[in-house]
Amino acid sequence: MNAENFGASERLVSAAYVRQGAQGRRAHELRLRTLLEQGKCPEEGWDESTIELFLHELAIMDSNNFLGNCGVGEREGRVASGLVARRHYRLIHGIGRSGDISAVQPKAAGSSLLNKLTNSIALDILRLAGVRTVSSCFVVPMATGMSLTLCFLTLRHQRPQAKYILWPRIDQKSCFKSMITAGFEPVVIENVLEGDELRTDLVAVETKIQELGAANILCVHSTTSCFAPRVPDRLEELAEICAKHDIPHIVNNAYGVQSSKCMHLIQQGARRGRIDAFVQSLDKNFMVPVGGAVIAGFNDAFIQEISKTYPGRASASPSLDVLITLLSLGTKGYQRLLKERKEMFSYLSSELKKLAEAYNERLLETPHNPISLAMSLKKLDEQSSTAVTQLGSMLFTRQVSGARVVPLGSSQSVSGHTFKGFMSHTDSYHCAYLNAASAIGMSKQDVDVFLKRLDKCLKALEKGKTHGQDMPVTNEEEIVSEMEKCNTNAAEGTAKS
């Protein structure tokens, strides 16, 4: 509805009512104009009606939604199912062109605008989260592993002689496979044990650079977010080493956006040395479906080169999902989630420590890891060679997801490389342990239910009971009952406060 249409409406409805309706419409349009002019995430989250109005406005800018459009090409935004069309708000053309995922499509101005705005808002959020000097980023419809591969392939054009990637060990398959898939040879740098923590061996990194030659090394591939007892790499020192030897530096920041400590490490690394790009997952940091990542950096030209390396157009779904989410939350809403995550980390840490001590175990001292915690299972492991893995099975059957039990001595081959002590980030850690993480969106109820079920499992194992004998599997009624009790306790606590 424009001014002419509102004017025509006055022939049918009272002019006073139409003017009131026009004012309501202008309130929505003012939000849209501010977004388009500033390209930043709004401070206050938008209501769904404004977001849907905006998406419909974008959709009718695409040629497949033109009235009377006649498409005679092979890609004209044709969709057989109306359900599929509605799921995507009729934004069918995707993002980018065959030569650049960030390029504008002539016949899809709305989808192109969505792409540009999403990238701009994502950049604003990265700065808000702590990397103040990041200069460029783009959303790519691939998860973290393949996005890292894209970065490595881009560096290949700059360093054609290079064949190695220095990689401080982290026992996570996708980041290792990202290097193999790109055609490079990972050089695994084993971590060093400092107290309970596994930290970056800077001496080993320097030694490998001297041994292999800087020109033969594609980059250093470091990590921020990780499972305890491993902690984020020494990013500042690694960045200085990379700057000294003129070696690129790619950071796997998979779920680090939610941690001010991880983001501070990236900011300081870029300030003191060299970080070429850092990659973060959309689903882990922004609570959207799996399938997207943000590739960001401090040099516009290099980030643009990465976007040009992506072959062909791409799905707009991850961009659409994160745009809707950030418009819904606003900066205040996202900052609130970050604050709540920190509070839940402290709560989980204190409560897990109490539970560990009750079973003569301990919460491992990993102060440099801001997201993940580890509880020793030494006594349980001494009790039985299978008790640790049995605990993992028991938690899983009781609908506890995300917790990891790490036994001693396990090995696994990944793309031809055998990792001893796999999942513990080192060949031989000093004890078996259990991981739990406080990630964005976690609630106090999640923590309370997890601790209650863990306590039940540990108590049963301590008594020597087994699932095959007299330990019952928690049924759905028990699970619902536990959740209801936690809800009641949480409500009572809120009322008292």
Side-chain angles (χ1 to χ4, degrees), residues 23 34 37 75 100 183 191 194 209 260 267 291 294 416 481-482:
Q23 288 171 0
T34 302
E37 288 176 349
R75 181 188 287 116
D100 184 353
N191 300 301
E194 297 181 9
I209 292 173
S260 57
Q267 177 62 57
V294 182
S481 176
E482 285 178 8

Side-chain angles (χ1 to χ4, degrees), residues 378-390:
K378 189 174 182 180
K379 300 296 182 183
L380 187 64
D381 196 30
E382 291 172 353
Q383 174 185 319
S384 165
S385 60
T386 61
V388 172
T389 53
Q390 187 180 0

Side-chain angles (χ1 to χ4, degrees), residues 98-114:
S98 57
D100 184 353
I101 196 177
S102 297
V104 172
Q105 294 186 63
K107 61 184 176 183
S111 293
S112 299
L113 184 55
L114 178 145

Side-chain angles (χ1 to χ4, degrees), residues 275-293:
I275 291 179
D276 294 74
F278 57 103
V279 179
Q280 36 275 308
S281 164
L282 288 184
D283 62 284
K284 296 185 183 80
N285 293 293
F286 301 108
M287 297 191 291
V288 295
V290 172

Side-chain angles (χ1 to χ4, degrees), residues 180-196:
I180 299 291
T181 302
F184 296 97
E185 183 178 330
V187 177
V188 181
I189 307 295
E190 291 292 340
N191 300 301
V192 291
L193 186 64
E194 297 181 9
D196 287 330

